[in-house]
Amino acid sequence: MRILVLTGSPHRRGTSNTLADEFIKGVQASGHEVIRFDTPFLNIHPCIGCDRCGMNGPCVFNDDMPKILDMILDSDMIVFATPIYYFGFSSQIKAAIDRFYSRNGRIQSKHLKSAFIVTAWNNDNQVMRSIDKHIDILIDYLNLDNLGKILAKGYGYVGARLEDEYKKEAYELGRSVR
């Protein structure tokens, strides 16, 4: 199986990237191929809603997104890993997700498997409510077969008390992919 991992943290060694690394170790241990794009370090313009792509064609921007979109369409699974920024996806990964617009129909018809890895500094239940809902809407809208969500609250820095628990959960989620 080919698995595409999109990360959204501008901190290369941050918590969501740490969990993405553990997930990748798990899927690779199960023999799957992984391709990873770290969206904060790519040239990705935000969607401007011009509709030139018609939801099924090239975007007006000539940036790194066509590589990601082609890889989505050539993959069996997509994994999103992001820290919480004001109760939602980081702006870097959100810009990439918004650009899915130019391939909506093809992405929806693939019925990709998916997983979501989210980290937050806060330890309360409120911090994950809005992103959890957003994830559910994305799953429905993109016709994804979701294999799991890791909502790692109270994990705002590498070395936090819950780190080992969340790393194990991410690895096991990767190992469970079939």
Side-chain angles (χ1 to χ4, degrees):
M1 177 183 305
R2 179 176 280 173
I3 300 168
L4 173 65
V5 176
L6 293 179
T7 69
S9 178
H11 303 280
R12 290 189 190 273
R13 292 183 177 84
T15 56
S16 62
N17 283 335
T18 296
L19 297 187
D21 292 342
E22 290 301 313
F23 175 86
I24 289 169
K25 287 177 191 175
V27 294
Q28 287 176 331
S30 295
H32 300 295
E33 176 187 358
V34 177
I35 296 94
R36 177 178 177 154
F37 287 102
D38 296 308
T39 63
F41 307 105
L42 299 175
N43 178 22
I44 299 174
H45 292 276
C47 180
I48 58 172
C50 69
D51 205 32
R52 190 166 211 196
C53 65
M55 296 177 71
N56 190 28
C59 179
V60 296
F61 294 116
N62 184 18
D63 58 9
D64 290 328
M65 266 316 286
K67 291 185 291 192
I68 294 172
L69 293 167
D70 289 345
M71 192 54 62
I72 290 169
L73 296 173
D74 197 33
S75 295
D76 304 298
M77 180 175 187
I78 186 166
V79 178
F80 302 86
T82 185
I84 292 280
Y85 280 17
Y86 275 87
F87 307 99
F89 290 97
S90 73
S91 61
Q92 294 89 346
I93 198 169
K94 180 69 169 71
I97 293 168
D98 288 349
R99 294 279 300 282
F100 288 11
Y101 182 80
S102 68
R103 304 291 192 287
N104 259 356
R106 287 187 270 171
I107 294 171
Q108 290 168 331
S109 68
K110 283 215 41 130
H111 299 281
L112 291 163
K113 293 179 180 181
S114 69
F116 293 81
I117 299 169
V118 181
T119 60
W121 186 277
N122 290 26
N123 192 2
D124 59 41
N125 291 327
Q126 178 180 344
V127 73
M128 291 295 181
R129 271 198 332 238
S130 63
I131 198 160
D132 194 26
K133 183 73 166 171
H134 191 159
I135 289 168
D136 288 343
I137 292 167
L138 273 177
I139 290 166
D140 288 343
Y141 180 71
L142 293 174
N143 295 321
L144 302 175
D145 175 16
N146 192 41
L147 302 185
K149 293 183 220 175
I150 297 173
L151 303 177
K153 60 185 180 180
Y155 185 39
Y157 60 93
V158 172
R161 181 178 58 80
L162 297 170
E163 182 172 64
D164 289 341
E165 177 183 325
Y166 288 132
K167 284 171 69 174
K168 181 179 180 191
E169 186 178 351
Y171 180 83
E172 292 302 323
L173 178 58
R175 287 283 296 163
S176 73
V177 171
R178 302 278 178 257

